[in-house]
Short mmCIF file of all heavy atoms in Angstrom, two decimals:
data_model
loop_
_atom_site.label_atom_id
_atom_site.label_comp_id
_atom_site.label_asym_id
_atom_site.label_seq_id
_atom_site.Cartn_x
_atom_site.Cartn_y
_atom_site.Cartn_z
N ALA A 97 36.90 146.61 50.36
CA ALA A 97 38.02 145.67 50.51
C ALA A 97 37.99 144.60 49.43
O ALA A 97 39.02 144.27 48.83
CB ALA A 97 37.99 145.03 51.89
N VAL A 104 37.15 139.73 52.50
CA VAL A 104 36.48 140.23 53.71
C VAL A 104 34.98 140.02 53.53
O VAL A 104 34.43 140.28 52.47
CB VAL A 104 36.76 141.73 53.93
CG1 VAL A 104 35.99 142.27 55.12
CG2 VAL A 104 38.23 141.97 54.12
N SER A 106 31.11 140.49 55.80
CA SER A 106 30.40 140.98 56.96
C SER A 106 29.29 139.98 57.31
O SER A 106 28.59 139.50 56.42
CB SER A 106 29.80 142.36 56.65
OG SER A 106 29.01 142.79 57.72
N ALA A 115 30.88 129.60 60.64
CA ALA A 115 30.44 128.64 59.61
C ALA A 115 31.18 128.90 58.30
O ALA A 115 31.54 127.96 57.58
CB ALA A 115 28.93 128.73 59.42
N ILE A 153 33.92 88.71 10.08
CA ILE A 153 34.12 88.67 8.63
C ILE A 153 32.94 87.89 8.03
O ILE A 153 32.67 86.76 8.44
CB ILE A 153 35.46 88.00 8.27
CG1 ILE A 153 36.58 88.75 8.94
CG2 ILE A 153 35.63 87.92 6.76
CD1 ILE A 153 37.92 88.14 8.79
#
Side-chain angles (χ1 to χ4, degrees):
V104 176
S106 175
I153 302 174

